Structures are given as C-alpha cells and as structure tokens.
Amino acid sequence: MKTFLPILTILLFVSLISKAQRPPALNSPEVHADKRITFRYFSKKASKVTLSGEFLKTPVSMSKDTAGIWSVTVPPVTPDIYPYSFWVDSVQTADPSNTYIFANERFKRSIVDIPGDKPLVHSLQNVPHGKISYHYYKSATLGTTRPLLVYTPPGFNPNGKTRYPVLYLIHGGSDTEETWTKVGRANLIADNLIAQGKAKPMIIVMPYGNVRPSPMPDFTKDMISDIIPFVEANYPVLKESKGRAIAGFSVGGGQTLNIGLTNPDKFAYICSYAPYTATDEFKKNFTDWSPNIDQLNKQLKLFTVSVGTEDFLYEPVKQNIAMFKEKKLKVEPIIVPGGHTWMNCKQYLASTLQAIFK
Amino acid sequence: MKTFLPILTILLFVSLISKAQRPPALNSPEVHADKRITFRYFSKKASKVTLSGEFLKTPVSMSKDTAGIWSVTVPPVTPDIYPYSFWVDSVQTADPSNTYIFANERFKRSIVDIPGDKPLVHSLQNVPHGKISYHYYKSATLGTTRPLLVYTPPGFNPNGKTRYPVLYLIHGGSDTEETWTKVGRANLIADNLIAQGKAKPMIIVMPYGNVRPSPMPDFTKDMISDIIPFVEANYPVLKESKGRAIAGFSVGGGQTLNIGLTNPDKFAYICSYAPYTATDEFKKNFTDWSPNIDQLNKQLKLFTVSVGTEDFLYEPVKQNIAMFKEKKLKVEPIIVPGGHTWMNCKQYLASTLQAIFK
C-alpha cells in the first residue's frame, strides 16, 4: 500500500538516527552465564578506550575491531551491582548502550547487574512487589518544593486498619532521592525480606538529603518539621518512636547520627552506614556532648554503625564508635569487608531491615 | 575534639573524589534570568569541546580557561526543556554536573529547563500534586516482569467511590517507561491542567513499550491482556471504552494506532503523536483495512494525529492522515510547528489532556 512509504520512512528514520549522531545499537554490558561480562563502545576516532569499574582493581584496556567497536570481556565477577564507566581517551563517559545510570549529581556512571546462581537479596524475584511513589512535599524549612520517594510494601492498604512502621533512609553526599532505589534496590530488598518473613512490612521514605550550600542543620529541621509531618499526614503510620527508624549512607550516615541522636524521642532505631562526620553540625552536636545516657539507651532499641574495613572512612568511623562507647552509649558496630560502596550499602540495608521494628 | 579528625577526614574525602576521578563541582547548566544559558565542562586534556542541543541550529564551540574549564554562554533560549550534550573531541557525553538525564536506552543526554516568565504548562507550580507510582506487573504475554508507572491525580483515593478514567501513554522507540515523566513531565502537566479545571482528574499509565526483538504485535497483546487487567485490578477505574484513552509518541504513536484502532471497543480516545508506522504490524493492520467505518466513528469519541511541520515523519504522517480520511474515519489532524522532539510531545499531551474524558 504505497501511501505508507515504508522504505522511505525507514530511510528517514535512519537519517534521524544519523542526524542525532547516535552510536550503533550494541549489546553492552553483556553478562554471560559464567559471569564474565563483555563491554562494548563504538568510536572510530578514539585512540584508546579503557573500562573502569568497581569490580576491577585497575582499569582495563578495550580493543577495537574494524567496525570501530571497542570491547573487552572481563573474567567472572562476583554477583552484585557495580558502577562502571568508559574512559575514551581523556573523557569519562557512561555506557551509551546501557539504560541504567547511577543516580548522582556529580558523575554519570552506568551500573551492571550480575545475577547470582541463587537469587541475591536485591534481585527481582517472583514475590509480591511493593511500589515506590514519587511525591512532592513543601518544605517550610527550606522554602521550596522537594521530591520524596515512598516505598509501600505488598498488600499495603492506605485506608486499612494497619499502621505501618517507617524507615527514613538517606542517600550519600552527591546522590539523589533515587539512589537508594535505582542503585541500592531498597524496594526489592524489602520485597524479598518481607516475602521471606525476615522483615516486617514497613514503609520506607527516601528524601532528597542535599541542601546547598550548607547541608546538615537545615536538613535536620526539614526532616523533623516537614518530612515526618508530610508522611504522617499522607500514610497510615505509627507515630511513636518505636515505629520510626532512621538510616543513611556516607553524608547521609552523618545526617542519620545528627538527626537521630538529637531526636531520640522520635527514632527508636538509628542505623548509620559509613558515616561522614567531618561537618560543622556533627562537631556542634557531639563536641562536649553530655546526654542523659541511661535515658538515651532506654529510648534507643537499636543503634548500629556499619562500615567496611576497606572504606576510606574506616578509621574515623571506628573513632566515632569508640567515642560513643566511651559515653556508654549502647552502639552495635557492624564491621564487614568492603569499601565505601553501594555494594556494601545493600548489605547494610538488608541487615537493618531484618533488625528493626521487632 | 580530636577523635573526629575533621581535617584528616576531609583530606580522605578529597582523596576519594580524586580516586574516583570526579570532575570539579561546576554550575552547569546555569540558566540566567534573561534566559541565556552558560554550560561548563572540565577537561585539561581535550583539544576541542562543543555544545550540541535541541535549542541550537548547529553545535557551538566552547572555550577553555586556564583551570581547564570549558564554557559557552548561548543567547536567550525560548523557555522549554531541551536535550543537550557535549562533544569532547570525538566523544559525545552528558553534562557531568547536571543531575537530569534524558531517560533513554540508546543515548545519554542531559536536559536543561528554561523557565518562562509565566509558568509553563509543564513547570512545577504551587498547585496540588499527584504522585507517580513505580509498579512491577507480570506479563503473561511476554513471560516476564515489567515496569509500569502510574500517575494518580491530587486527592486520589484508592478506596473511595470515584472511578477514574485512564490514559495509557506510550513513549518513543528507544525511550523508557520514565521518559514521559522525566522528560515529558506528564505528571506536572496533568497537575497544572487539573488545577486549572482544564483537564479531568485522571489516571495516567505509562508502560515500558519496547519489546525486543519485534516490538509491535506482542506489545498490543501485552497492553490488552496484561497491562489493562493489572491497572483495573489495582486502581478504581472506569472499565468501559469512554473511560479509556491511548496516546503515544513516535514508535509509541504507531503502537497507539495499532492498539487503539484494532480495539475500538476498548478505547474511545486515540491520540497519536508523530507516529512511526513503517512496521510489519502497521502494514498487517492497515493494508486492505476495511473496518465498519460507521461503527468505528461511533465508537471513537476522539481520534487525533499530531505532527510538527519540521518533523522528519511529517510527510508519512500526512499520508496516513489522508489514508484515514479516505476511509471516512473522523480523524482530527493537529499540525503544529516544530520537529520530532519532546518539546512538541509536551504540547501534544497538554492538548490531549484537555480534550479527553469530556
């Protein structure tokens, strides 16, 4: 039927692709059954392309075929989700063929997911799934409208009689409100642990934690005065401290300590992951800190500080743990292998979800 | 308090940044009050950096300062949201300093939002906001679990008496289920038009439309047999055709025609945006097509086909409109300025939202 001009249209479509200077469709990353991974990148002009990834100790060179496709296949990788990028001559770039980008304000890396022989705690499994809702809330504290993600568990009924406990979960310093789901898979970890009966059905609130230019003090107020009231006005949640937990990673781990330990009447569970604490707010809160320790220990049902032995913050985190212990605060250190990474974050969260609200 | 070692920690943090080879924090894009925009990119080694963007007719060169920061300020840009990227020597890259990435499987471009003097239809305004829920649903058709985004309007009550109409809204060929919200701002357009009383409160379902390797036929079945039943099982929606609309852009515009016109008992509103129709499914459906036109015209309360005069599909879209007219189908062409772009998409959607369910 000539009115459709399919060939002309295809040519026009190809012309659009060419106009937009898109690279050819490549299968990258290709995760093989034996957990080797092949990465591919197209460039006729580059003189050198290397692969950099958190599954590698050092970057590896890629080699070019006659069609201009650079590739490398890396040996089997321990199942997990890893950030990676290409260095094309002097330019760092995400993998154009990979949809999945590490949600971050400062860099654009891709992520690759290597499935385990048995499903991992963060993998998409055949279990009931909760959902993630993207909200806007008004922050009177910060004078603006901000994004907020809310995970509700499978079977959640907003109008039912059940009142859910809430975990407030904060990302790292240059991350966004999406990093805990897009990279940390908080929703799937919760789905899986709830399905196995290892975690209580709960709501997980993931705010945007960055406040420019001075993050910490305003965000504490935003959490207490704006975020928690918004959640409590819109979701059927427990409103006492034993129904609230707070956790966070890196800068968000520091925020967790600041917010949680200065508001122990609000959070019975405080779980800090590799906290970054070299901030004015932390110094203000914990220099010459003299809380009523007996009361605090009574208020806190769980206080954990997690860190990896290869984390660049390992030493200062250990020193903070020692400081809390010296104050006779019941802190539970969780020291594991690994670095300041989102591979570790997923493990920290999985551990937290199994420990809180019980 | 020496146990915190703030200076050492800061040095370690700087060392991490350096280790991760992050670029310095730059303000890019910087949208000025007069709507000029300054773009910045850091590279000491590049010999040439250019800016490419859909607000430009041709790429513009950026110039380097002594610190290795390349920049360019472009003259005032018509308020809208535009994709752009940098070409660093031969490498196309998103803006590392910009959080917002065009959701797409094939390219990684950044987006820049130039606000209007008066709020634009897609801007975040001081009105009640709906929310976007990220679901998984099981597709028996495709044998897998797939993502699905659902916008619910302000004041939505899942257990109330109101049954909402539903718009099924499909992205373009290499886009993802997030492109209509992240780039098309479907949620904010709906929030604004509902607040102004110009659109009915409705649910908008944004599925993932790509099926590899042969998109179209299976997706039609997935929509009818899996997506609609999932939505109707989980949301209080109208279940007759006058409570359902379907719309989509480019490849999704072709899917809209295929799905809608072969299921007129299910959709009373069909709105196709710059449809790409050079597909086997379209050929199969519309070569020697001989529907009962009187019945079809009665079933369809609205059938629009939108396209821009600079769209690379303008001619074939016009020919399809002519074909529908020749069949005596009541098609309403919406011919506007502009190209095959998401700037146009937002206008097409805003027009649709004001026309359906009335």
Side-chain angles (χ1 to χ4, degrees), chain A residues 7 12 50-51 77 122 162 180 238:
Chain A
I7 292 168
L12 284 163
T50 56
L51 166 71
V77 170
H122 60 257
T162 306
W180 266 114
L238 295 167

Side-chain angles (χ1 to χ4, degrees), chain B residues 45 50 64 82 85 218 226 256 333:
Chain B
K45 289 185 183 166
T50 56
K64 185 167 73 164
Y82 301 89
S85 59
D218 289 342
D226 298 297
T256 295

